[in-house]
Structure formats: C-alpha cells, structure tokens
Amino acid sequence: MLNIKDLKASIEDKQIIKGLDLSINKGEVHALMGPNGSGKSTLSYVLSGKEGYEIDSGSVDFKGKNLLELDVDERSNEGLFLAFQYPMEIPGVQTSFFLKTAINAKRKYQGLEEIDALEFAKLVKSKAEELSISPDMLKRDLNVNYSGGEKKKQEILQMSLLNPEMAILDETDSGLDIDALKIVSEGVNKLRNENNSFLVITHYQRLLNYIKPDFVHIIADGKIVKSGNFSLALELEEKGYEEISKTA
Amino acid sequence: MAATEQTIKQVNNLGSNDYKYGFSTEIDDIKSPKGLNEDTVKFISAQKNEPEWMLEWRLNAFKVFNKLPEPNWAKLNIPKINFQDYYYYSSPKSLKDKPKSLDEIDPDILKTYEKLGIPLQEQKLLSGVAVDAVFDSVSVATTYKKQLSDLGIIFCSISEAIKTYPDLIKKYLGSVIPVSDHSFAALNSAVFTDGSFVYIPEGVRCPVELSTYFRINAINTGQFERTLIVADKDSYVSYLEGCTAPMRDENQLHAANVELIALENAEIKYSTVQNWYPGDSEGKGGIYNFVTKRGACRGNNSKISWTQVETGSAITWKYPSCILQGDNSKGEFYSVAITNNRQQADTGTKMIHIGKNTSSKIISKGISAGYANNTYRGLVNIHSKASKSRNFTQCDSLLIGNKCGAHTVPYIESSNSDSMIEHEATTSKINEDQLFYCMQRGLNSEDAVGLIVNGFCKEVLQHLPMEFAVEAQKLVAISLEGSVG
C-alpha cells in the first residue's frame, strides 16, 4: 500500500525527516509514536503534499504510484486521507455542503456521476449517527465554533464518507475526553478492513488501547528508531521516550 | 405635433449628414457620428423620436456636463478620457451581421457559459447569435407582461415611457440624481440610450422578480443605461439587473444612472450582477463602468435594499446610495466586489439619514487577487433632525496573493447626538491552511478558492433572489480562476 524509502524532507532549509523507512501493507494498522519535534506531523504533511515542505531525497510509493509527484487533491482522490490535528474552520460554508462537495470531487475523479441528494442525505445521516454527531451540527459552518471533540468527530465523519484506502490520523486523540475518544476509536474500528490501512500518529499509548495496532514504530529526530508490536507501546509508556531511544 | 415635425426634420438632416461622415443610412446599422457635441444629443433624441421637452432636458444636461470636472475622489487610476473619441449611439446590429451559430463564438466564452449552466437558447442571445424572433422566453415574457398589466404595473423601456407616460417621467426623472450631481450623471442625462421604467401602483405587490424573465431584453440597453423605478404607497417590487454571463461590448465607456423612489410603506429590492469584460490579464481593453445609483425613501416606513455582485469591468466606480427622507425608513447595501488581474474597483454606498428613526445597514465584501485594487468607500451621514437613527457597517476584505490591494475608506458624519453608528472592518489573506484542508479532501485549487470565497461572501449572496444566487456563486469561483497556484 504505502512504501517509504530513505525519505529526507525539510522545511525552510531545516531537515526534519532524516532518512525514514516505513512500509505499510493492505489491512494493517501502524502506530507512529514519538516526542514533540520528532517529525510526526511533518511526515503526515509531507505524505499529503502540503506546500512548503521540500523533499531532499528518498521515495514514497502509494499503490504502485510515485506519491510525491501527485498534487494534494490527486493524493486525496487516490485514497490518501489525513485526519488533521487542527481541522480548519471555513466560515460561511455549511458542513453538509462541504461533505457533499468532497464526496463529489472524489466521484468525479473516479468518473462517477454526482451523488444523488437523497442518497447523500441518507448516507450522512447514518454515518453521523454512528459518531453521535447531531444533525444540527451538519447545518453549521464547517468547524466554526465546534468544540475540540466535535472537530475530531467531524474528521472521522469525513473519513468514513470518503472511505480512504490509506488514512493518516494525526494526533486525533489530543484534546479528547474519554467518551469522545471511545466514539472516535469505534468509528475508526468500524472502517478497518482487509483492504485499507491506517497510520495512527500519537503521543500516548491511551488511544492504542482502543485502536489496536498491528505494528508500533518509535520516531526520534526524523527517523524510526525502533519498531515492534503492541507491547512496544506498553514498554514505551513505562520507560519513556528517552530510555527507549537509547536502547534502540 | 410641433415636436414630432421637428424630430422628423432632424432625422432627415442627420440622414444627409450621415453621408458626409461616410456612414451607412440603413436603418439596421445606425451609428451616431463619433464624438460628443449638441448634435450628438439631438441625434440620439431624434433616433428615439422623443418629445421636445425631453430633448431640452438632455441639452440642458449637456450644458451642465460641459461645466463639471470629472469626479476625482476615487482611488482609481483612470486614463484620461477623451469624450470625443467615443460613439454615443448605435442601433442594435441587424440579424445578417450577427454570427450564424455558436460555432462562430470564442470557445472560451462558451466554456464559461457552460460552467454557469446557461441554457443554449440564452447562450445564443448573450453571444449575439442571430435568433428567430419567436422563441421560448419571448412567449414567457408576453405571458408575464399580461399578468403585470392586469395589476396596473408598468414595466417598459424608458424610451417607451417617455412617450407613453410623460407625466410620470417628468415628475420623477432626475429627481433623485440631479443632472448637476457630477459629470458622469450629467453625461448620462444628456446621452442615455435606454433602460427600464417600472411603476408599481399603490397597494400592489409585484408577483415576479422583474427582469428574471426579461433579462435577455435588457442586454441591449447599451452603454448609457437609464433606469427609473417608482414604488407607490404600500407596494413592493424586486428588480434584477445584469447577468452572470460575461458580456462583451464594443463600447468601452459605460455610465449608467439608476433612480429608485419608494413612497410611504413601499419597498424596493434592487439586485445587480455585473460581469462586463474586464480586459485581458494585462488590463487592456476592459470596460469603464461609471455608475450612479441612488434611491430615495420618500415616504415614511419605506425601504430600499441594494444587493450587488461586481465581478467584471476594468474599472468599476459605483456607489448605490439611499436617501432616507421618510421617518422610520430603511436603507440596505449588500455588496460583493471581486477584482482580479489588473481590475480596479472603487465602490461602496452613501446612507443619508434625514427622517427620524431611520436605519441603514451596510455589508461589504471586497476580494482582491492578482494585481488588482479594491476600495470600499462609504458615507454615513446623519442629519440633525434624524433623531434615533442607526447605522451598522461591516466591511471585510480578502486578499489573494501579495500583489493586490484592499482599501477601506469610511466617512461618518453625524449631526445628531442620539444616533448610533457602528463600523466593523476586517482585512485578511486567504488562508493557505484552509486551501490545503479543502484540497486534502479532494477539491482542486480553483474549487477550493471558490468554496472559501463563497463562504466569505455568504452574507451578501443570500440576499440575492434564489435562482440568481446559484449562478452568482459559480460566477464568484470563475472570476478567481487562475488566482492561486
């Protein structure tokens, strides 16, 4: 699905990703853990194609395509989804209109007709209910005056509507209370199947109690320093980043 | 009778003059001689078969025009206009000179029509393709004309009204915008070509959006439009002007005058979408649009509301205003002005509070991209007798890129201590993170800009009549194509 080889990337001439390798297969959930400033969020921006990030060397293969050559919207329409750590507010744009626009952008890319209004309404209603998102929220402007938890639920709603093959969750657990965390995790777990993959970026092991990863990687100073299974996350929780990095 | 005789004489004289200037005398291809002098004014009046009083009115306006300097307050870079270098009247082209089918039209224009979802028949009319006189919208128009006349509503061209309803015209024409207001107003009064006249009788609520079904007819009103709308006591009318489709015109200089009069308890809602040719990306060849629009709330409890979406023209100079004379009268101004490439716009409103307890609301959204400059200029003036008057103004500017400019110039004058005036203004750049967010959800950069800018303009666009609003939203996105990335 996603194959990152010796990736080096900079922002404003400062190298943040310093030779990172990561391979994610269909149906797998990988967790990426690391301290502040280790390059976690930078990796998610580089993969999704945000402006301002320079690729110094290395390659990223996504479903057999050179991901780094694609525009931001092409990457999305090819099935790469980023759940933002800080979702953007878009004043004056009704949430449901935004959702429909996004769905139709993908359908157009796939050569499909625009979604039927009734079909869309049904689809959104059922997905929103699963995430305890009130219908009222869909009428409000996108992310405007949403609470932290509402914004994160909104990201998961968008993810479930776009049904990506590769989803990157950038600190989706930050700012969530325990109830919201459960709802969000259940949303992710419902989407999991043998044809899609997840990269879950987080500081804490807490989220991984709900979204069980197949692999756990620890990132420090722009490189993956240690990989393992779920027990690595538990070990990390116990010992802390510094000690784990040392033993790597 | 004398007037008619004189007109005939004039036409005859001019006919022979035409020869001298080398113009064809064929009725379907009439142009006034180039340049501007008394004869031009007489020529236009004669072409329209106007009564003598109208000619005199025009000639007087021309005298005034000659004495007035051009307005210079706007933050616009207007090349010196040589008024002698223009034609001031040309009759619509004959069918045989027009393109035969859409195949002969610039594919870029057709692409825009398609994006706007304009029906094929209408595309033909807009692009000037020769069409049979009988087609769907004409019969629709006829049906509505019958419905309107049953209610006593007058809706016709101003030329027709001058002949058929001279009393109403004499009473109201120039009563809101005096001929001597400024030189563009005087110029229009002297050489106006055509426009609309609307009269809504007492107690009548006009059942259709005027010109929704007629907008095609309005296209040929030409470069000096003159419109007059009178809403008698307890009446209501919503009027739509313009068209979302890009309009090309060989005449570079446009100067329209629009006057609205609302009597007691009457309400006029006037919506405009302006998309004249803005010139190429270097700013060459665009239209100069110098518009004077003013409404008078003459009666108590009357209301006038202006909504405008300005996306076209090389230069836009326009301040739709309200004179709030009646007690408790209300004025509103909702504006979206988009400038891209080398376009310039200096637009805003004047709210003149004279009556007691009058209120006004101004919502202005300016969007600037490329090398364009966009200025909001507004005046809120509260007279000493306008006690308990209120104004709320909100001016938001959005910049796309770093070579464009946004300027806000509010003038506030209050001679009254118990009035309330609020002014809010913001300027922001289009947020790269918002664009990235939208594109991460699969929208291409142009759709993302369109979505964000439409969100920014929502407060204004929602005041447009429904079917117009949908087109206007598409227009907002199309106007900004190529502004990002």
Side-chain angles (χ1 to χ4, degrees):
Chain A
M1 178 72 75
L2 186 73
N3 207 347
I4 306 171
K5 275 198 185 132
D6 196 26
L7 184 68
K8 292 178 182 165
S10 308
I11 181 162
E12 287 167 2
D13 292 330
K14 189 171 182 252
Q15 198 166 72
I16 308 286
I17 306 289
K18 301 173 179 174
L20 187 141
D21 293 275
L22 181 64
S23 187
I24 299 176
N25 294 316
K26 250 188 192 179
E28 291 175 354
V29 175
H30 291 237
L32 184 66
M33 304 180 74
N36 286 329
S38 57
K40 300 191 301 294
S41 284
T42 299
L43 180 66
S44 72
Y45 289 146
V46 167
L47 292 177
S48 51
K50 191 175 182 183
E51 225 172 285
Y53 292 84
E54 215 46 60
I55 309 295
D56 301 322
S57 65
S59 68
V60 181
D61 177 286
F62 178 53
K63 301 195 305 181
K65 287 184 179 153
N66 180 353
L67 184 74
L68 301 176
E69 271 182 358
L70 302 177
D71 286 338
V72 180
D73 50 325
E74 288 172 324
R75 297 183 197 198
S76 164
N77 290 321
E78 281 291 332
L80 181 82
F81 183 92
L82 171 63
F84 283 65
Q85 184 180 0
Y86 303 109
M88 293 308 299
E89 296 183 2
I90 314 221
V93 175
Q94 204 180 48
T95 302
S96 62
F97 180 77
F98 181 81
L99 297 176
K100 198 170 168 187
T101 307
I103 289 174
N104 282 332
K106 183 159 188 176
R107 291 177 71 106
K108 191 177 170 192
Y109 187 83
Q110 294 171 331
L112 299 172
E113 293 269 300
E114 289 201 349
I115 190 166
D116 171 75
L118 201 68
E119 192 190 335
F120 171 76
K122 267 195 209 158
L123 181 70
V124 173
K125 189 170 177 271
S126 71
K127 299 279 185 193
E129 267 170 18
E130 284 176 13
L131 291 161
S132 327
I133 291 172
S134 72
D136 170 60
M137 195 164 115
L138 299 171
K139 289 185 196 141
R140 284 156 54 189
D141 291 356
L142 182 66
N143 289 325
V144 177
N145 297 326
Y146 279 28
S147 70
E150 283 174 332
K151 281 185 183 170
K152 295 297 171 72
K153 281 189 199 170
Q154 178 58 229
E155 293 296 286
I156 303 303
L157 175 63
Q158 291 178 19
M159 182 169 81
S160 68
L161 288 170
L162 292 173
N163 199 13
E165 285 161 89
M166 176 76 231
I168 305 168
L169 274 58
D170 189 6
E171 299 197 27
T172 298
D173 52 336
S174 69
L176 288 188
D177 61 37
I178 195 74
D179 294 341
L181 186 69
K182 272 185 190 162
I183 292 168
V184 163
S185 308
E186 274 166 27
V188 174
N189 288 331
K190 266 191 196 131
L191 272 184
R192 272 175 90 157
N193 63 44
E194 68 269 22
N195 291 316
N196 58 25
S197 319
F198 291 82
L199 177 63
V200 181
I201 297 173
T202 181
H203 275 296
Y204 307 107
Q205 176 254 331
R206 186 177 73 151
L207 176 68
L208 305 181
N209 291 335
Y210 298 98
I211 304 172
K212 284 274 183 329
D214 302 303
F215 301 93
V216 174
H217 310 277
I218 292 168
I219 183 172
D221 195 24
K223 280 184 198 165
I224 288 180
V225 292
K226 196 163 189 176
S227 297
N229 57 20
F230 182 57
S231 63
L232 181 60
L234 298 172
E235 190 188 330
L236 181 69
E237 191 78 358
E238 203 178 296
K239 295 180 178 165
Y241 284 115
E242 209 161 313
E243 198 170 330
I244 291 263
S245 302
K246 255 187 249 162
T247 61
Chain B
M1 280 303 125
T4 326
E5 269 167 38
Q6 195 181 346
T7 347
I8 293 167
K9 222 188 265 171
Q10 273 164 3
V11 173
N12 285 338
N13 287 342
L14 285 160
S16 53
N17 281 348
D18 272 350
Y19 238 95
K20 196 167 68 190
Y21 288 98
F23 289 105
S24 158
T25 47
E26 271 179 49
I27 197 77
D28 55 3
D29 192 19
I30 287 178
K31 253 184 183 169
S32 68
K34 198 176 193 176
L36 182 58
N37 51 45
E38 272 198 13
D39 287 341
T40 321
V41 178
K42 286 178 185 163
F43 180 92
I44 293 168
S45 188
Q47 282 299 321
K48 305 202 148 285
N49 234 335
E50 285 176 355
E52 196 167 351
W53 59 265
M54 195 65 235
L55 175 65
E56 271 163 23
W57 197 83
R58 286 177 181 271
L59 287 172
N60 171 53
F62 182 66
K63 279 195 195 110
V64 172
F65 167 73
N66 281 330
K67 286 184 210 142
L68 290 172
E70 279 163 50
N72 63 355
W73 62 76
K75 187 178 165 47
L76 295 172
N77 184 8
I78 307 176
K80 180 78 190 139
I81 297 167
N82 181 359
F83 288 98
Q84 300 307 330
D85 223 17
Y86 290 95
Y87 290 100
Y88 289 83
Y89 181 87
S90 59
S91 65
K93 277 190 180 165
S94 72
L95 284 180
K96 66 177 192 299
D97 292 335
K98 291 182 171 183
K100 300 286 173 288
S101 75
L102 282 175
D103 298 340
E104 295 175 36
I105 304 298
D106 181 355
D108 277 353
I109 295 185
L110 295 182
K111 219 184 271 172
T112 310
Y113 289 157
E114 204 173 295
K115 284 181 189 165
L116 286 165
I118 300 200
L120 214 60
Q121 278 292 4
E122 217 171 297
Q123 288 188 18
K124 287 182 185 170
L125 276 157
L126 291 167
S127 52
V129 170
V131 212
D132 285 345
V134 182
F135 79 107
D136 285 357
S137 94
V138 172
S139 54
V140 171
T142 319
T143 316
Y144 279 91
K145 269 204 161 144
K146 170 91 172 61
Q147 195 188 344
L148 295 180
S149 68
D150 287 349
L151 289 165
I153 293 171
I154 302 169
F155 181 41
C156 63
S157 74
I158 195 102
S159 311
E160 194 184 327
I162 287 165
K163 281 172 257 176
T164 322
Y165 310 102
D167 294 343
L168 285 171
I169 297 292
K170 280 181 192 166
K171 185 170 176 189
Y172 291 112
L173 191 72
S175 74
V176 188
I177 305 172
V179 164
S180 58
D181 207 72
H182 56 78
S183 74
F184 298 145
L187 175 66
N188 175 285
S189 302
V191 300
F192 70 83
T193 33
D194 217 332
S196 307
F197 174 68
V198 177
Y199 175 78
I200 313 289
E202 191 173 332
V204 171
R205 205 183 151 83
C206 184
V208 289
E209 310 272 1
L210 283 188
S211 117
T212 304
Y213 301 96
F214 304 89
R215 64 175 172 179
I216 293 156
N217 305 352
I219 288 164
N220 287 326
T221 50
Q223 70 200 113
F224 298 102
E225 185 197 336
R226 182 94 200 188
T227 285
L228 174 62
I229 299 176
V230 182
D232 214 322
K233 288 179 190 169
D234 300 304
S235 69
Y236 167 84
V237 61
S238 167
Y239 185 89
L240 294 172
E241 176 212 357
C243 185
T244 49
M247 288 203 274
R248 284 176 188 263
D249 192 305
E250 53 194 280
N251 303 304
Q252 191 178 32
L253 179 63
H254 282 237
N257 278 13
V258 175
E259 295 175 284
L260 312 182
I261 294 131
L263 302 182
E264 206 173 299
N265 289 319
E267 181 179 347
I268 302 173
K269 191 170 151 58
Y270 193 105
S271 313
T272 308
V273 173
Q274 183 266 116
N275 191 16
W276 292 105
Y277 182 54
D280 63 16
S281 56
E282 297 301 314
K284 281 195 195 110
I287 289 197
Y288 300 165
N289 197 27
F290 304 137
V291 186
T292 307
K293 289 185 168 170
R294 200 174 296 165
C297 285
R298 295 243 163 104
N300 292 345
N301 308 311
S302 56
K303 181 177 172 186
I304 288 177
S305 177
W306 299 100
T307 305
Q308 62 172 20
V309 177
E310 302 282 322
T311 62
S313 298
I315 300 176
T316 300
W317 179 102
K318 184 181 177 191
Y319 316 92
S321 304
C322 297
I323 301 168
L324 305 169
Q325 286 166 274
D327 290 347
N328 311 313
S329 60
K330 279 196 176 95
E332 291 174 346
F333 174 73
Y334 301 101
S335 169
V336 169
I338 299 178
T339 48
N340 198 356
N341 297 317
R342 304 273 172 179
Q343 282 179 279
Q344 309 176 63
D346 192 301
T347 184
T349 182
K350 289 190 277 186
M351 293 290 176
I352 314 290
H353 293 251
I354 298 169
K356 288 189 191 70
N357 205 26
T358 47
S359 65
S360 61
K361 187 174 175 187
I362 299 168
I363 308 282
S364 162
K365 306 275 180 179
I367 297 113
S368 225
Y371 293 86
N373 260 304
N374 202 322
T375 302
Y376 166 82
R377 186 181 305 279
L379 168 68
V380 175
N381 180 304
I382 301 200
H383 281 226
S384 55
K385 284 177 185 160
S387 59
K388 300 225 164 33
S389 290
R390 298 177 304 282
N391 163 265
F392 174 77
T393 301
Q394 186 186 329
C395 297
D396 298 322
S397 304
L398 187 67
L399 300 170
I400 301 173
N402 52 16
K403 297 201 169 57
C404 53
H407 317 274
T408 303
V409 191
Y411 302 83
I412 297 170
E413 299 166 0
S414 178
S415 319
N416 194 299
S417 58
D418 64 3
S419 292
M420 207 163 84
I421 300 166
E422 289 174 81
H423 182 92
E424 289 177 10
T426 65
T427 301
S428 50
K429 280 189 75 165
I430 197 156
N431 187 323
E432 295 290 334
D433 288 338
Q434 285 178 325
L435 281 177
F436 173 61
Y437 186 76
C438 293
M439 289 177 72
Q440 212 302 307
R441 299 303 183 250
L443 280 69
N444 64 40
S445 63
E446 282 171 355
D447 289 346
V449 170
L451 184 89
I452 294 166
V453 175
N454 267 307
F456 175 77
C457 302
K458 186 184 175 188
E459 274 172 284
V460 172
L461 297 180
Q462 68 191 9
H463 287 279
L464 286 173
M466 190 59 181
E467 60 181 278
F468 227 34
V470 176
E471 280 184 22
Q473 280 178 14
K474 291 183 194 158
L475 178 63
V476 164
I478 290 169
S479 322
L480 291 167
E481 275 181 5
S483 63
V484 168

